[in-house]
């Protein structure tokens, strides 16, 4: 009887050890919810871009991929790195962060080129709206922030993937928020936005985008205070 009483708890202990950790399940649920909040407006914009089929439609499509896929994923990589203890995984997450930021920069540049070519073909004036100027300014600060990150990584004889700079992080978040605000402003004020989305749908997309960023940036602030 004594042996039986000893074996039974051990069996359940083994069973519980194989069960998913509660914290892990919670993190996965939060990650899935955040991803859904970003992907829903992104898919909605891409669907209208495909339906439009014009050259200018590449502008909102590429911006949506940059602002709603690449950049939030880059920030998420840094949030995951903050709780990671394995050195190799931390380095991999940092490299992923850089890759996603570079991809976002390429997409935004291509989006700007699509708008430039379209306006040139229609004999329209360039940089004639607040949206255009805001995009130019945020793009310049984004490029400078990426350049700073590259300098901090490769300034030594060997690459340093473990540096920490609060100014770089804060500037990156502010530029990112500015870019998203510029995108939403363009959605509400551009002819393309008015043509492809009703005011109700524009409002719904704006709410989803804001909710997604509040969720992601809120998580970032919580981790920053730890």
């Amino acid at each position: 009887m004594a042996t039986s009483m000893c074996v039974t708890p051990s069996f359940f202990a083994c069973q519980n050890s194989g069960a998913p950790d509660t914290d892990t399940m919670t993190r996965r649920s939060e990650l899935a919810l955040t991803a859904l909040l970003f992907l829903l407006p992104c898919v909605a914009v891409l669907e209208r871009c495909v339906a439009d089929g014009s050259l200018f439609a590449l502008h909102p499509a590429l911006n949506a991929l940059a602002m709603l896929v690449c950049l939030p994923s880059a920030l998420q990589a840094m949030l995951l790195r903050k709780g990671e203890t394995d050195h190799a995984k931390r380095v991999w997450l940092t490299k992923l962060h850089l890759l996603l930021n570079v991809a976002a920069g390429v997409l935004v540049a291509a989006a700007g080129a699509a708008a430039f070519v379209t306006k040139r073909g229609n004999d329209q004036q360039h940089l004639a709206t607040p949206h255009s100027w805001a995009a130019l300014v945020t793009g310049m600060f984004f490029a400078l922030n990426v350049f700073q990150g590259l300098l901090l990584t490769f300034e030594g004889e060997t690459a340093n993937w473990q540096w920490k700079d609060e100014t770089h992080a804060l500037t990156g978040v502010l530029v990112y928020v500015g870019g998203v605000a510029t995108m939403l402003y363009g959605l509400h004020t551009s002819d393309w936005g008015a043509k492809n989305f009703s005011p109700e749908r524009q409002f719904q997309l704006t709410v989803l985008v804001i909710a997604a960023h509040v969720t992601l940036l809120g998580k970032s602030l919580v981790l920053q205070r730890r």
Side-chain angles (χ1 to χ4, degrees):
M1 179 65 70
T3 303
S4 175
M5 292 293 291
C6 180
V7 170
T8 303
S10 299
F11 172 77
F12 283 109
C14 292
Q15 290 293 95
N16 291 334
S17 64
D21 181 74
T22 304
D23 291 339
T24 301
M25 293 183 65
T26 301
R27 286 195 297 269
R28 288 177 179 175
S29 299
E30 291 177 351
L31 185 60
L33 175 61
T34 304
L36 183 63
L37 288 173
F38 278 101
L39 289 176
L40 283 176
C42 183
V43 170
V45 172
L46 292 178
E47 186 274 329
R48 294 312 307 158
C49 292
V50 172
D52 185 297
S54 65
L55 174 62
F56 185 80
L58 286 174
H59 180 74
L62 296 175
N63 274 315
L65 289 173
M67 298 294 173
L68 300 177
V69 177
C70 291
L71 291 181
S73 298
L75 179 55
Q76 182 64 45
M78 288 294 95
L79 297 181
L80 292 174
R81 192 189 78 160
K82 195 171 183 67
E84 183 58 60
T85 56
D86 183 80
H87 176 75
K89 289 183 179 179
R90 287 176 60 86
V91 170
W92 182 83
L93 287 169
T94 306
K95 291 180 178 179
L96 179 62
H97 174 77
L98 173 60
L99 177 63
L100 289 169
N101 272 290
V102 171
V106 171
L107 289 172
V108 169
F116 180 86
V117 172
T118 301
K119 286 190 173 185
R120 186 175 183 179
N122 296 332
D123 293 326
Q124 294 178 323
Q125 184 180 356
H126 300 292
L127 298 175
T129 63
H131 170 72
S132 301
W133 281 104
L136 180 63
V137 171
T138 54
M140 291 173 59
F141 277 104
F142 174 80
L144 288 173
N145 202 52
V146 172
F147 183 65
Q148 182 203 20
L150 290 172
L151 283 179
L152 292 172
T153 302
F154 298 106
E155 62 182 348
E157 294 182 359
T158 58
N160 175 19
W161 297 99
Q162 295 296 298
W163 55 266
K164 184 177 180 180
D165 187 274
E166 297 295 337
T167 302
H168 175 80
L170 179 60
T171 303
V173 170
L174 291 176
V175 171
Y176 175 33
V177 171
V180 173
T182 301
M183 179 185 69
L184 291 176
Y185 182 77
L187 173 67
H188 284 272
T189 61
S190 67
D191 293 336
W192 188 90
K195 174 185 174 183
N196 287 276
F197 296 102
S198 65
E200 293 79 10
R201 181 53 62 89
Q202 289 177 341
F203 176 76
Q204 292 169 357
L205 291 175
T206 301
V207 169
L208 281 174
V209 171
I210 292 176
H213 286 87
V214 167
T215 302
L216 182 61
L217 296 176
K219 188 190 306 181
S220 175
L221 290 174
V222 169
L223 291 176
Q224 196 71 23
R225 292 184 176 183
R226 290 182 180 177

